[in-house]
Amino acid sequence: MSNVGRFAPSPSGLLHFGSLITALASYLQAKSNNGEWLVRIEDIDPPREVVGAAQKILFTLEQFGLHWDRDVLYQSNRLTIYQDIINTLLKNKLAYYCNCTRQRIHGLINHTYDNHCRHLQLSTTTQQPMAVRIKQTSSIDSFIDGIRGKQTIMSNDASEDFIIYRKDGLIAYNLAVVIDDHYQGVTEIVRGADLLSVTFKQLSLYQLFNFTVPHYYHLPLALNSDRRKLSKQNHAQPISTNNVRQLTVDALRFLGQSIPDNWQDASQEQLLQWAIDHWQIKDIPKNDKLISSL
């Protein structure tokens, strides 16, 4: 099987330095293995989306020379597919409706759902909005991460019947990402360590659907001066395209990669090719890192 990597931003804001680190690492991991690199826009949460952000994200990637190998996939074009899968799971009693409130779940031990609605046989005939939860029969409590080694879940989350369709009518991230990574033939998922905890749930869906499991690589997080991860929610500044090579070098250094001595004299294309040729995923640090200037 050929290597296929991907970068899957949500259009809830513009790319920041943490996003660049993830985009660059996923690109280099794919290209260093003569693989494809895909871009997917995860636009299934309209209330959080910023108008025009998707186009600006793609423009920024192009300015950095990070060119994708297939058409960009927009999750908003696949809502019918997700819904059909949910309907099939409900029909086969592999999922069920849940009307539990957020307040009830927050009152539970560790805020972990107790599968309260699993046997209530709720239906949508009531006017009350309901979520859909997977009936967890394929729980995963450990996996091998390509950067961090063996990861083991430290709570009861592995056995939780988690949400795949939200009360507000939106498709849950965990379902959509697994369906689309399988559909696109993704073999390697390079992403931030903030997503480590949901990997266990996603792996259980791979097992439920009998999908081939990709390799996971969870990157260290870039932290702001408050030691919070750079993110759109934490108001991280968008990256500028005025100094592409310097930011690329900064991202490579964050990732523990070597830098050519004469990088200032190289074009962005030459710099990326050098980075592909010298990519060492084993040199990526495990610990998060403070980025005081961002």
Side-chain angles (χ1 to χ4, degrees):
M1 179 186 294
S2 61
N3 287 72
V4 180
R6 52 79 161 169
F7 177 57
S10 64
S12 55
L14 305 184
L15 297 185
H16 51 77
F17 186 67
S19 312
L20 176 62
I21 289 168
T22 302
L24 183 62
S26 61
Y27 177 86
L28 295 176
Q29 176 64 10
K31 292 302 179 180
S32 66
N33 288 290
N34 297 312
E36 291 182 286
W37 186 68
L38 313 181
V39 172
R40 181 171 71 233
I41 301 295
E42 299 195 332
D43 54 346
I44 55 172
D45 195 350
R48 294 181 59 244
E49 291 167 18
V50 175
V51 175
Q55 290 71 31
K56 290 178 181 177
I57 287 170
L58 297 178
F59 173 79
T60 301
L61 292 174
E62 288 183 318
Q63 295 305 296
F64 277 83
L66 303 176
H67 303 295
W68 45 95
D69 294 309
R70 301 183 206 163
D71 291 341
V72 175
L73 186 148
Y74 291 82
Q75 287 190 325
S76 58
N77 294 332
R78 292 173 52 78
L79 298 179
T80 301
I81 293 170
Y82 307 140
Q83 190 61 61
D84 287 345
I85 290 170
I86 291 170
N87 291 341
T88 299
L89 291 170
L90 287 166
K91 180 181 178 181
N92 293 334
K93 301 188 184 307
L94 295 172
Y96 58 89
Y97 291 107
C98 172
N99 62 6
C100 289
T101 63
R102 186 172 298 178
Q103 289 79 4
R104 179 186 180 276
I105 295 170
H106 274 274
L108 299 173
I109 298 174
N110 297 324
H111 309 319
T112 300
Y113 187 60
D114 58 358
N115 305 344
H116 173 74
C117 294
R118 182 186 272 209
H119 303 295
L120 296 185
Q121 297 183 344
L122 300 174
S123 71
T124 55
T125 55
T126 66
Q127 297 301 312
Q128 183 180 15
M130 287 189 283
V132 175
R133 291 181 179 271
I134 200 75
K135 188 178 290 185
Q136 184 61 275
T137 59
S138 307
S139 61
I140 301 292
D141 59 10
S142 67
F143 72 96
I144 303 299
D145 185 82
I147 294 173
R148 296 163 181 265
K150 186 175 182 179
Q151 299 295 302
T152 303
I153 198 165
M154 304 303 292
S155 69
N156 294 325
D157 284 357
S159 58
E160 180 185 42
D161 291 351
F162 57 89
I163 289 174
I164 56 174
Y165 179 84
R166 292 164 33 177
K167 275 188 178 182
D168 56 8
L170 300 180
I171 305 296
Y173 165 75
N174 285 321
L175 178 72
V177 71
V178 168
I179 296 301
D180 288 341
D181 280 334
H182 174 73
Y183 169 73
Q184 295 188 283
V186 172
T187 61
E188 297 186 311
I189 296 176
V190 180
R191 60 189 187 184
D194 53 321
L195 292 170
L196 259 172
S197 61
V198 299
T199 306
F200 300 95
K201 295 178 179 179
Q202 292 168 16
L203 285 170
S204 72
L205 289 176
Y206 275 98
Q207 186 160 302
L208 174 66
F209 294 135
N210 197 27
F211 290 166
T212 300
V213 177
H215 299 286
Y216 285 91
Y217 302 86
H218 286 89
L219 303 168
L221 301 179
L223 307 178
N224 63 18
S225 57
D226 295 327
R227 303 202 68 82
R228 300 166 69 190
K229 73 163 184 168
L230 293 183
S231 68
K232 299 160 191 173
Q233 291 83 0
N234 292 334
H235 310 293
Q237 293 298 308
I239 55 175
S240 170
T241 57
N242 295 330
N243 201 357
V244 165
R245 285 179 301 161
Q246 179 65 64
L247 282 172
T248 302
V249 167
D250 290 344
L252 287 171
R253 284 176 173 150
F254 180 92
L255 291 165
Q257 306 301 300
S258 57
I259 309 298
D261 293 335
N262 61 342
W263 67 265
Q264 296 92 338
D265 300 324
S267 66
Q268 179 67 3
E269 181 180 3
Q270 290 170 329
L271 180 58
L272 286 177
Q273 187 57 57
W274 195 95
I276 291 169
D277 293 341
H278 294 81
W279 176 247
Q280 295 290 334
I281 202 161
K282 65 179 178 57
D283 291 340
I284 295 177
K286 298 179 177 63
N287 296 327
D288 302 339
K289 183 177 179 181
L290 185 68
I291 307 294
S292 57
S293 62
L294 296 173

